[in-house]
Amino acid sequence: DAGVTQSPTHLIKTRGQQVTLRCSPKSGHDTVSWYQQALGQGPQFIFQYYEEEERQRGNFPDRFSGHQFPNYSSELNVNALLLGDSALYLCASSLYAGEQFFGPGTRLTVL
Amino acid sequence: GQSLEQPSEVTAVEGAIVQINCTYQTSGFYGLSWYQQHDGGAPTFLSYNALDGLEETGRFSSFLSRSDSYGYLLLQELQMKDSASYFCAVRDHTGEAAGNKLTFGGGTRVLVKP
């Protein structure tokens, strides 16, 4: 049983560019959440998708947007990249409360 | 808003016991989770407490007191492989949507020495 997968593993972009990160949830999971983790800090909640709709959102600007597909996979889009967007982006899937399964993350570097 | 406090670093020797405390402030509290993250790796789930009391899973135990907005993770019989960062995370919700949103603490770096 494959766990949560994310692509790409690493990404380098320049300021002002746009990026799309992808996530496939664990088999049977219908809820996908995205987190941003800066070095040495805890993950920060970006948003959560359920039934193809954004269910909750953290304190992130509108430059961060997402999508969930009918097969429950998800994308995170970030527009107008800033240097401060450099971080590890984690996708987590869940089926019920309390336990989330995290993917390996995408390391984004903005130059 | 939400906030969680946990110690930044703990050092112990193999075989010892370590307790990582976590205090939180949040509205719409559902439960407290603990995650382990090795350097370069993804967070992995350790435990979840929705009710007061102690949950034991092998060498790791987790405790919650909702009235005190406090919980802890107990690591017993420490092994070198337990060197990692440990995060407490509150499952909470904002607005009307109940869900699995997690608000994480800053993490406690545990260093296990021989």
Side-chain angles (χ1 to χ4, degrees):
Chain A
D1 175 29
V4 180
T5 61
Q6 292 185 243
S7 62
T9 307
H10 296 86
L11 204 52
I12 299 176
K13 292 284 188 178
T14 56
R15 282 177 295 175
Q17 286 190 310
Q18 178 264 344
V19 67
T20 297
L21 310 181
R22 296 176 176 82
C23 170
S24 291
K26 187 176 169 64
S27 178
H29 286 187
D30 57 6
T31 302
V32 173
S33 303
W34 286 92
Y35 295 83
Q36 180 194 67
Q37 186 175 27
L39 202 59
Q41 298 182 21
Q44 299 292 312
F45 176 77
I46 302 175
F47 42 54
Q48 182 180 89
Y49 279 85
Y50 172 71
E51 293 189 344
E52 301 180 53
E53 291 195 0
E54 184 182 288
R55 182 160 66 174
Q56 294 195 67
R57 188 178 182 91
N59 294 324
F60 279 80
D62 292 344
R63 297 187 297 109
F64 289 77
S65 63
H67 188 76
Q68 186 178 35
F69 299 93
N71 67 352
Y72 305 128
S73 66
S74 177
E75 288 183 349
L76 164 66
N77 300 291
V78 186
N79 294 322
L81 283 167
L82 304 174
L83 295 179
D85 295 332
S86 294
L88 180 67
Y89 288 84
L90 295 162
C91 168
S93 72
S94 57
L95 186 58
Y96 62 93
E99 182 174 2
Q100 295 195 13
F101 292 82
F102 284 82
T106 295
R107 173 72 62 187
L108 173 65
T109 302
V110 182
L111 301 177
Chain B
Q2 296 95 345
S3 68
L4 292 91
E5 295 288 333
Q6 55 182 124
S8 58
E9 193 170 297
V10 172
T11 301
V13 297
E14 273 187 298
I17 299 174
V18 161
Q19 179 172 316
I20 303 171
N21 298 320
C22 174
T23 58
Y24 59 86
Q25 286 186 312
T26 185
S27 56
F29 176 86
Y30 281 133
L32 186 69
S33 297
W34 289 92
Y35 286 80
Q36 177 194 61
Q37 186 177 30
H38 287 97
D39 286 347
T44 56
F45 173 81
L46 294 177
S47 68
Y48 175 68
N49 295 66
L51 303 175
D52 287 356
L54 188 68
E55 296 277 346
E56 298 179 79
T57 309
R59 295 187 296 113
F60 295 175
S61 302
S62 58
F63 172 83
L64 175 65
S65 169
R66 295 174 68 111
S67 60
D68 295 323
S69 297
Y70 163 77
Y72 67 72
L73 178 69
L74 194 68
L75 314 178
Q76 302 180 77
E77 302 172 20
L78 275 177
Q79 301 176 9
M80 297 296 291
K81 67 178 181 180
D82 297 331
S83 291
S85 291
Y86 293 83
F87 296 92
C88 59
V90 167
R91 180 190 168 226
D92 57 7
H93 71 93
T94 56
E96 299 177 353
N100 300 328
K101 170 177 169 284
L102 294 177
T103 300
F104 282 80
T108 299
R109 194 167 182 84
V110 173
L111 178 61
V112 181
K113 294 186 173 180

